[in-house]
C-alpha cells in the first residue's frame, strides 16, 4: 500500500487525483492539503506527497518532505530557472518524480520529438505551440518548455530567456514567448514557443518541423485532466519503492 497526501487538493488537478485514486487499489489517500491546512498534522502518515499547487509552494514543500523523509511527485509547473535549480539541490536526500506532464502520450511525444529533430537535421525550422484552459496561470506550459528544451538539446542550443525576442537574441538560443514587433526574418537558431488560452482545453501541444516544400507536425491532445492525475498516481506508486534520486515520468513508464 502507498499512502499519499494530495497537496493542492482543492484545485483542478487535486480534485482529479481524489476522483481517480479509487481506481488504484494500492493507493490510500491519507491527507488532503490546500491553503490554510496543516501539512505537519498529516505528513507523518504518508509515504508520498503529490504536489499540484503553486510554483511558489514547491520549494518549501520539498524541504518539509526532506525533513520528514517522504518521497514526492512534483506536477506543479511555472517555476523560475533559479527555483528549479534550488529544488534539484534540496531534493537530493529523497526520491522524487518531477514531470511537466504525466500523460503517457506526451511522454512518447517527448521521444518522437527528439527522434524527429535528429532525423530531419538543421534545415528544418522548429516551433512549439500549446493551448490550455482559460484558468491556467503560467505560460508557456511546462510541457511546451520541455519540448523546446528537447529540441534545443538536439541542436546544442541554450535557453535565451523568457523576454528575449529575435532582435536581441544571441546565437545558439531558443526563445519561449513567441514573437512581437519588427522581428525581421526568421533566424535558423530560433525555437519559439507560442501559448493559446481558452475554454476548458486540458492541454494541446504541437511541435512543428517546417522545411522547404514540406512540414511535419507532431500533436498531442489531452481531453481530460484525469490523464495527468492517473499518471501522477502511477508515479506515486512507483516512487515509493525507489532509492533517493530525481526521476522523470519516462523512468516510471520504462521509456528511459
Ligand atoms: P489550480 O489553481 O486549479 O489548483 C491549485 C491548488 O493549489 C489551489 O486549490 C490552491 O489553493 C492550492 N495552493 C496554492 N498554493 C498552495 C500552498 N502554498 N499550499 C497548499 N495549496 C496551495 O491549478 P491546477 O490546474 O490544479 O494546476 C496545479 C499545477 O499543476 C499548475 O502548476 C499546473 O500548471 C500544473 N499541472 C501539471 C500537470 C502535469 O502533468 N505535470 C498537468 C496539469 C497541471
Amino acid at each position: 500500500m502507498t499512502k499519499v497526501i494530495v497537496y493542492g487538493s482543492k484545485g483542478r488537478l487535486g480534485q482529479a487525483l481524489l476522483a481517480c485514486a479509487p481506481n488504484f487499489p494500492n493507493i490510500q489517500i491519507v491527507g488532503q492539503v490546500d491553503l490554510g491546512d496543516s501539512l505537519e498534522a498529516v505528513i507523518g502518515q504518508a509515504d508520498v506527497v503529490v504536489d499540484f499547487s503553486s510554483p511558489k509552494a514547491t520549494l518549501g514543500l520539498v524541504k518539509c518532505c526532506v525533513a520528514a523523509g517522504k518521497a514526492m511527485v512534483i506536477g506543479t509547473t511555472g517555476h523560475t530557472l533559479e527555483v528549479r535549480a534550488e529544488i534539484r539541490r534540496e531534493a537530493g536526500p529523497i526520491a522524487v518524480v518531477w514531470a511537466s506532464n504525466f500523460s503517457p502520450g506526451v511522454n512518447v511525444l517527448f521521444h518522437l520529438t527528439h527522434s524527429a529533430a535528429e532525423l530531419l537535421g538543421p534545415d528544418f525550422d522548429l516551433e512549439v505551440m500549446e493551448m490550455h484552459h482559460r484558468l491556467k496561470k503560467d505560460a508557456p506550459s511546462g510541457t511546451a518548455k520541455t519540448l523546446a528544451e528537447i529540441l534545443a538539446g538536439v541542436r546544442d542550443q541554450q535557453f535565451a530567456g523568457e523576454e528575449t525576442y529575435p532582435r536581441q537574441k544571441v546565437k545558439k538560443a531558443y526563445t519561449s514567448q513567441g514573437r512581437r514587433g519588427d522581428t525581421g526574418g526568421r533566424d535558423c537558431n530560433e525555437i519559439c514557443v507560442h501559448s493559446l488560452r481558452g475554454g476548458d482545453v486540458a492541454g494541446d501541444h504541437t511541435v512543428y518541423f517546417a522545411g522547404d516544400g514540406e512540414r511535419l507536425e507532431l500533436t498531442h491532445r489531452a481531453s481530460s485532466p484525469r490523464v495527468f492525475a492517473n499518471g501522477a498516481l502511477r508515479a506515486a506508486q512507483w516512487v515509493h519503492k525507489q532509492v533517493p534520486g530525481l526521476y522523470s515520468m519516462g523512468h516510471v513508464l520504462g521509456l528511459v
Side-chain angles (χ1 to χ4, degrees):
M1 184 65 73
T2 302
K3 295 180 180 172
V4 169
I5 289 173
V6 177
Y7 194 83
S9 57
K10 293 182 180 158
R12 279 168 64 92
L13 258 294
Q15 291 292 299
L17 282 162
L18 297 173
C20 293
N23 302 331
F24 290 75
N26 294 325
I27 284 190
Q28 184 188 354
I29 303 296
V30 295
Q32 303 179 28
V33 180
D34 205 283
L35 282 175
D37 300 325
S38 165
L39 176 66
E40 288 70 25
V42 287
I43 196 165
Q45 300 165 41
D47 301 308
V48 183
V49 178
V50 180
D51 170 36
F52 280 94
S53 59
S54 152
K56 294 193 184 114
T58 306
L59 182 57
L61 182 59
V62 168
K63 290 177 181 172
C64 290
C65 289
V66 168
K70 306 298 178 184
M72 281 187 82
V73 172
I74 302 176
T76 301
T77 62
H79 310 99
T80 63
L81 289 175
E82 292 73 24
V83 170
R84 286 176 69 85
E86 216 169 329
I87 291 171
R88 269 193 290 273
R89 269 196 305 275
E90 292 289 336
I94 57 172
V96 179
V97 175
W98 190 2
S100 59
N101 198 302
F102 287 93
S103 97
V106 158
N107 283 275
V108 171
L109 174 66
F110 291 156
H111 275 252
L112 295 175
T113 296
H114 190 275
S115 298
E118 279 190 334
L119 290 166
L120 293 172
D123 293 339
F124 281 71
D125 296 328
L126 308 174
E127 301 274 321
V128 178
M129 192 165 72
E130 54 104 344
M131 181 165 187
H132 283 82
H133 56 88
R134 62 170 74 90
L135 298 175
K136 184 165 177 61
K137 296 188 177 86
D138 57 315
S141 69
T143 306
K145 287 185 191 171
T146 303
L147 288 164
E149 281 161 12
I150 289 167
L151 294 168
V154 171
R155 295 210 172 164
D156 196 23
Q157 295 175 205
Q158 287 162 0
F159 184 54
E162 304 218 334
E163 290 302 326
T164 302
Y165 290 87
R167 281 290 182 207
Q168 301 110 41
K169 80 179 172 44
V170 294
K171 285 279 179 199
K172 287 190 172 294
Y174 72 86
T175 62
S176 76
Q177 296 284 336
R179 296 184 177 79
R180 69 178 178 202
D182 180 15
T183 61
R186 192 186 194 288
D187 186 297
C188 63
N189 286 317
E190 289 171 37
I191 303 170
C192 280
V193 182
H194 310 269
S195 299
L196 283 63
R197 293 288 175 266
D200 63 353
V201 176
D204 293 355
H205 292 88
T206 297
V207 184
Y208 294 85
F209 301 84
D212 289 333
E214 63 173 332
R215 182 168 81 244
L216 174 66
E217 298 177 11
L218 299 178
T219 294
H220 176 273
R221 298 188 202 283
S223 51
S224 162
R226 289 191 176 207
V227 72
F228 311 124
N230 281 320
L233 290 166
R234 187 170 167 181
Q237 270 184 337
W238 184 90
V239 78
H240 180 197
K241 302 184 191 85
Q242 304 307 313
V243 296
L246 192 54
Y247 303 97
S248 70
M249 194 58 191
H251 290 108
V252 178
L253 297 170
L255 298 172
V256 293

